[in-house]
Amino acid sequence: MLALVATFVFSCLLFLSKPCARDMRLFLASISQQLALSLLGFLAGYRLLGGVASRATATAVDAMPLMPSFKRKRPAAKLETTDTTGEPSVLDLPELAIDCILAKLPPAELRNMAAVSRSMRERCRSDHLWERHMSDKWGSVLGTAARDEWRSYLSSSTAAGGGASGCGSAGSGKHRRWLAALSCVCPVVSWMRPRADGGAGTSGGPVLDDSIMSWYLHLESSKFWFPAQVYNREHGHVGFMMSCYDAELSYDFRTDTFHARYPPHGRRTVVLEDGVQWDRVRAPPVGTLAHDLHASDCLHELRPGDNIEIQWRRNKEFPYGWWYGVVGHLESCDGNEHFCRCHLSDTVVLEFNQYTPGSRWRQSLVNRKDHREEGNESDGFYGGIRKLQDKDEISKWKQLWPTDILE
């Protein structure tokens, strides 16, 4: 080994003292290759001798190996809460204290804590810790349809993952064997070995399972599209002011906004919209699909001044959108609440005051007793009606009121 080092040094000096002839360069390259191979073999043997010596020593805990390994040693499961250095650890706290600490952590820190140990990973993945985070951030935009979509996503991803894992097993096995062989010579390579849990730590993608944590992290990852509704679609296009349409949404964590994907209708293909703010998104208030007529169960109780949403679509090929309006008075009524009998009439007046008086979109009449889809190809088709009872829903519509009256 020393002879090779001396030869290499002599060759370098000779290389610097004479012109760079081609033969000299080849000779120096050959010497460098032999030196590298010998050095690797020397280190491998040196580490092997260190391992034998440490096993032969009775006090193996106190002995220092000749070539320390950089591979992280995983403690046994029964010793996970024991700190061999004697310093206090969060794992030494009582169970209740640990649960209280974890309940105070934000989602990012809770995910980091899951990488501390196996027992901590199970604790941090508990649904009761993530229910509050899910409700606080996503409760206003996730409905029953989004939960159903998540279950379908789980089922399809699990089925696809089963087939994909078999295709990648051969390549990943060769990769692991190559790293294992190289780590015998160079221990630093042991850092590159794949994790036993498939990279489920903070550096890998979120684990796909039926836990609330998994759902939360997939929503944050921008990979999961879920059904919701968007107010004033297509950046507040004048043709959709004071309406709310079904769409598929994907969260963009870089901008804290959503990508919206509206279903095709008529001759229009899928419409995409970026930068949808949180205040323009809501969970569908009813389970009626976009092309289905909503069953109106509030017609008998509608009175002038009530806030409503009504389904409307341009033609039969279009999906319904929900449009905001109020119940008005009949022409024969002077609007005096003490003498008003509009609520006893079979005809209900619906007013859309965002449109200028005289506009064909300003007012519509529906039959209280036998209301079905009504309209024509010119004025569009009016569908089901739902009465707004929640003050927050009404307040949201008033916040979206246009600054200028629509024609």
Side-chain angles (χ1 to χ4, degrees):
M1 182 68 188
L2 294 177
L4 282 173
V5 173
T7 304
F8 179 74
V9 173
F10 174 76
S11 300
C12 291
L13 294 175
L14 188 61
F15 178 77
L16 294 174
S17 61
K18 292 187 176 183
C20 299
R22 180 174 180 274
D23 295 338
M24 184 58 67
R25 288 198 299 270
L26 294 177
F27 174 73
L28 184 57
S30 177
I31 289 296
S32 300
Q33 183 179 6
Q34 292 296 328
L35 178 62
L37 293 176
S38 300
L39 181 59
L40 291 176
F42 176 74
L43 292 177
Y46 204 47
R47 187 186 181 194
L48 180 61
L49 291 176
V52 173
S54 61
R55 288 194 299 268
T57 306
T59 59
V61 177
D62 299 330
M64 179 180 295
L66 297 178
M67 185 64 183
S69 174
F70 292 94
K71 182 178 179 181
R72 184 183 62 181
K73 292 182 173 61
R74 294 186 178 181
K78 65 180 181 179
L79 297 178
E80 280 190 339
T81 60
T82 302
D83 191 349
T84 57
T85 62
E87 297 180 359
S89 170
V90 67
L91 300 178
D92 298 329
L93 295 174
E95 302 287 328
L96 182 59
I98 295 178
D99 290 339
C100 291
I101 293 174
L102 296 179
K104 299 294 184 181
L105 295 179
E109 297 301 327
L110 193 58
R111 186 185 181 188
N112 290 338
M113 284 294 294
V116 172
S117 66
R118 293 182 180 178
S119 61
M120 188 60 70
R121 180 168 65 242
E122 296 303 320
R123 286 177 179 272
C124 294
R125 294 181 62 82
S126 299
D127 284 348
H128 75 276
L129 293 176
W130 288 90
E131 285 176 349
R132 178 175 61 85
H133 298 305
M134 180 66 79
S135 177
D136 290 347
K137 183 168 184 177
W138 298 97
S140 62
V141 299
L142 296 179
T144 304
R147 293 183 178 87
D148 294 340
E149 181 65 24
W150 171 244
R151 296 189 186 99
S152 300
Y153 181 82
L154 278 176
S155 300
S156 59
S157 298
T158 302
S165 61
C167 296
S169 60
S172 60
K174 292 180 180 179
H175 181 67
R176 283 193 294 267
R177 287 194 297 271
W178 183 84
L179 289 177
L182 189 57
S183 65
C184 293
V185 177
C186 186
V188 179
V189 180
S190 61
W191 293 350
M192 300 169 56
R193 289 187 179 181
R195 294 168 54 95
D197 55 2
T202 57
S203 61
V207 177
L208 185 62
D209 56 30
D210 59 353
S211 66
I212 298 180
M213 174 184 176
S214 179
W215 190 15
Y216 185 99
L217 296 180
H218 275 80
L219 286 167
E220 295 273 338
S221 70
S222 305
K223 298 179 180 179
F224 175 63
W225 291 79
F226 62 93
Q229 292 181 348
V230 179
Y231 294 100
N232 297 348
R233 59 177 284 181
E234 300 181 32
H235 302 287
H237 188 281
V238 66
F240 297 104
M241 292 297 292
M242 301 302 291
S243 69
C244 196
Y245 275 78
D246 287 61
E248 293 181 339
L249 299 180
S250 173
Y251 178 67
D252 186 350
F253 63 90
R254 300 177 184 86
T255 60
D256 192 30
T257 58
F258 294 92
H259 303 289
R261 187 167 61 195
Y262 302 101
H265 53 271
R267 296 182 178 180
R268 299 189 65 181
T269 58
V270 175
V271 178
L272 301 177
E273 180 182 354
D274 297 328
V276 179
Q277 302 290 334
W278 282 84
D279 58 358
R280 290 179 52 209
V281 180
R282 74 173 183 182
V286 293
T288 308
L289 300 179
H291 286 274
D292 295 344
L293 180 66
H294 177 68
S296 306
D297 55 359
C298 63
L299 294 176
H300 65 283
E301 61 184 56
L302 291 180
R303 307 173 69 94
D306 286 344
N307 297 269
I308 58 97
E309 289 180 9
I310 185 171
Q311 288 178 309
W312 183 87
R313 59 181 173 179
R314 184 68 177 177
N315 57 50
K316 298 285 187 176
E317 296 180 354
F318 278 53
Y320 283 114
W322 289 97
W323 294 73
Y324 172 75
V326 295
V327 179
H329 292 273
L330 296 170
E331 290 185 3
S332 58
C333 180
D334 60 1
N336 190 320
E337 61 179 4
H338 298 290
F339 301 100
C340 178
R341 295 294 182 267
C342 295
H343 61 283
L344 301 178
S345 174
D346 291 344
T347 302
V348 180
V349 179
L350 302 180
E351 295 181 344
F352 306 94
N353 295 325
Q354 62 267 31
Y355 292 99
T356 184
S359 170
R360 60 174 177 168
W361 314 110
R362 173 82 177 196
Q363 190 179 89
S364 179
L365 304 178
V366 298
N367 189 298
R368 189 188 301 269
K369 291 184 177 180
D370 188 25
H371 173 60
R372 294 283 184 251
E373 184 182 55
E374 300 176 4
N376 51 60
E377 294 290 339
S378 175
D379 298 332
F381 295 87
Y382 295 87
I385 301 172
R386 57 181 295 263
K387 180 180 178 180
L388 301 182
Q389 307 278 4
D390 193 331
K391 293 182 179 180
D392 292 336
E393 278 190 296
I394 300 173
S395 176
K396 171 58 69 175
W397 282 114
K398 293 182 177 180
Q399 292 173 13
L400 298 170
W401 199 266
T403 56
D404 298 323
I405 299 298
L406 306 177
E407 297 294 334

